[in-house]
Amino acid sequence: MIRNDIKQLSAYHIPDARGLIKLNAMENPYPLPDTLRDEWVRHLHNLNINRYPDTKMDALRHAIADGEGLRADQVLLGNGSDEIIQLALIAVDRGACVIPRPTFVMYEIISRWLKRPVASVPLEKDFSLNADAFLRVCAREKAGIAFLACPNNPTGNMWPRSTIQQISDNFRGLLMIDEAYHPFANDTYTDMIDPHVMILRTFSKLGMAGLRLGYALGHPDTIGELNKVRLPYNINTLGQASVNFFLKHFHVFDEQTKKICRERDRLVGILENMAHVDPYPSRTNFILLRVPNAGFIFEALKQNGILVKNLHAEGDLLENCLRVTIGIPEENDQFVATLKEVIGETDK
Ligand SMILES: Cc1ncc(COP(=O)(O)O)c(C=O)c1O
């Protein structure tokens, strides 16, 4: 009954973070200010959840489009950007999905669900992307679609405009430029949007991960085609109304984002000073760091109440790498103190 290739899969594992300082999932660590929370709950009070949600979501799409200087028909909304990745992989012509390695895992996972072959192009040692090599693989594999996370997860770096431009100029499939970490990178490739280039964004990293709202910005024709494979009520009434409300209070999330970026830079400075730890520069809300023994350190951090992500099993460029999401200052201090203790570390 169940496809054999599905039987071979394991379900996506989300570790239990109860009771731990949660620095593993690139969430915004700041809760809503109390007054905003109260106002939000009042705003939700009159919603009619006996009715199906608004399927067109004009108000929300207009609000997002206005913020980008685009038109509402250039915006597609998804239940997290994960869903838009899935919509694109459903809608695009046959042909491989080409991705860099390492990158965000869902591109490959969803491709496999949909029986789309995946070809990956290894990043260089410094996590740079060779555009010629990427394009060669796209041509060889007759790629239908390619994903470039800018900045990239889990490496944290942003490939330069010239690299992305070269790929977008020469790739004839659908190029999905995933800007999930755009709020922390202060840069965007939205100017490259055309019928075969789309930008992916999410509200998850900004402080609304629990609402599950992602969006694509693209050419109206491509957005229109992807919209045909979107489930009619993919964004529930509470999610729509909440994001609509929070967009009017965007400065709150903006300020939190600035605090996170300041903390990130402070943390990189501290980690750089440690003799046995190598942090990589980050344009995101997380830091990738190489340590002497990732498995041991991951477990020791967990025993001491701190959950990060261990990437060692991915091998290659991620050997002995951990990824730590930026928390509030007290959490970051505790992470550093515990890391120093478990490594037996002195400053450089
Ligand atoms: C590069 C990248 N894209 C997309 C996502 C998924 O975000 P969402 O919560 O909108 O599904 C993530 C989440 O970690 C990510 O790192």
Side-chain angles (χ1 to χ4, degrees):
M1 180 185 72
I2 302 290
R3 264 167 39 194
N4 246 332
D5 56 317
I6 300 287
K7 284 192 197 160
Q8 310 301 321
L9 299 177
S10 323
Y12 191 85
H13 174 66
I14 309 281
D16 185 359
R18 273 175 300 178
L20 301 176
I21 295 180
K22 193 170 185 299
L23 304 179
N24 67 327
M26 287 81 83
E27 294 145 327
N28 173 344
Y30 293 101
L32 287 176
D34 286 343
T35 48
L36 186 60
R37 182 187 297 267
D38 292 345
E39 214 181 312
W40 169 47
V41 172
R42 277 198 300 279
H43 179 76
L44 298 183
H45 189 77
N46 293 324
L47 294 178
N48 290 322
I49 54 158
N50 56 319
R51 301 292 180 196
Y52 282 108
D54 173 3
T55 177
K56 288 174 74 185
M57 301 177 272
D58 282 338
L60 191 48
R61 287 187 302 113
H62 267 108
I64 291 171
D66 286 351
E68 299 295 333
L70 297 172
R71 291 173 9 203
D73 62 358
Q74 296 189 270
V75 179
L76 177 73
L77 300 177
N79 195 266
S81 44
D82 283 349
E83 191 192 27
I84 299 181
I85 295 168
Q86 186 174 23
L87 298 183
L89 285 165
I90 290 172
V92 161
D93 271 341
R94 278 170 188 274
C97 167
V98 177
I99 52 175
R101 191 177 69 240
T103 192
F104 181 48
V105 292
M106 292 312 289
Y107 311 141
E108 176 157 3
I109 291 175
I110 300 174
S111 295
R112 302 251 179 250
W113 296 345
L114 299 171
K115 295 193 169 185
R116 185 183 286 276
V118 176
S120 60
V121 181
L123 296 180
E124 306 295 319
K125 268 205 155 73
D126 61 356
F127 301 145
S128 59
L129 174 64
N130 180 327
D132 292 324
F134 195 85
L135 287 164
R136 266 198 307 277
V137 173
C138 289
R140 189 190 71 207
E141 302 292 329
K142 300 187 174 53
I145 185 165
F147 288 89
L148 294 174
C150 301
N152 190 37
N153 170 15
T155 55
N157 60 321
M158 178 121 177
W159 299 304
R161 173 165 290 272
S162 54
T163 304
I164 308 301
Q165 189 75 61
Q166 187 187 339
I167 294 171
S168 97
D169 286 350
N170 293 285
F171 176 55
R172 297 318 328 151
L174 179 63
L175 177 63
M176 301 290 282
I177 302 178
D178 184 345
E179 296 188 349
Y181 300 95
H182 162 257
F184 313 96
N186 283 324
D187 207 353
T188 178
Y189 295 138
T190 42
D191 55 297
M192 292 187 198
I193 287 173
D194 76 10
H196 80 284
V197 178
M198 263 191 174
I199 304 288
L200 256 186
R201 296 269 185 82
T202 179
F203 288 100
S204 295
K205 317 297 171 188
L206 267 171
M208 294 170 239
L211 291 176
R212 303 300 296 134
L213 199 96
Y215 57 98
L217 305 171
H219 188 279
D221 294 347
T222 320
I223 292 286
E225 297 304 333
L226 261 57
N227 194 42
K228 294 178 189 171
V229 293
R230 177 178 67 82
L231 289 171
Y233 305 119
N234 62 330
I235 314 292
N236 73 56
T237 303
L238 297 179
Q240 291 185 29
S242 299
V243 175
N244 246 322
F245 170 81
F246 289 129
L247 280 173
K248 299 189 176 81
H249 300 271
F250 207 72
H251 62 280
V252 172
F253 300 96
D254 239 10
E255 276 160 31
Q256 292 179 344
T257 299
K258 286 192 185 110
K259 278 203 268 190
I260 292 168
C261 288
R262 281 199 297 273
E263 268 302 289
R264 173 194 66 198
D265 297 343
R266 179 179 79 88
L267 200 56
V268 169
I270 295 173
L271 295 170
E272 273 173 346
N273 237 345
M274 292 174 62
H276 302 298
V277 174
D278 283 320
Y280 289 91
S282 171
R283 303 280 299 273
T284 66
N285 62 343
F286 62 82
I287 300 169
L288 183 76
L289 52 147
R290 205 178 296 275
V291 291
N293 181 342
F296 169 79
I297 292 168
F298 170 80
E299 284 302 332
L301 286 167
K302 203 168 158 193
Q303 292 305 317
N304 284 280
I306 300 171
L307 184 63
V308 299
K309 175 90 176 167
N310 181 8
L311 295 162
H312 179 71
E314 312 269 323
D316 296 332
L317 292 179
L318 296 179
E319 220 171 283
N320 279 318
C321 281
L322 300 175
R323 188 190 63 200
V324 58
T325 302
I326 308 303
I328 59 172
E330 296 73 19
E331 293 173 331
N332 302 330
D333 288 343
Q334 198 162 332
F335 164 71
V336 167
T338 312
L339 184 65
K340 283 186 173 170
E341 206 175 295
V342 300
I343 299 189
E345 172 77 56
T346 45
D347 285 345
K348 268 177 192 153

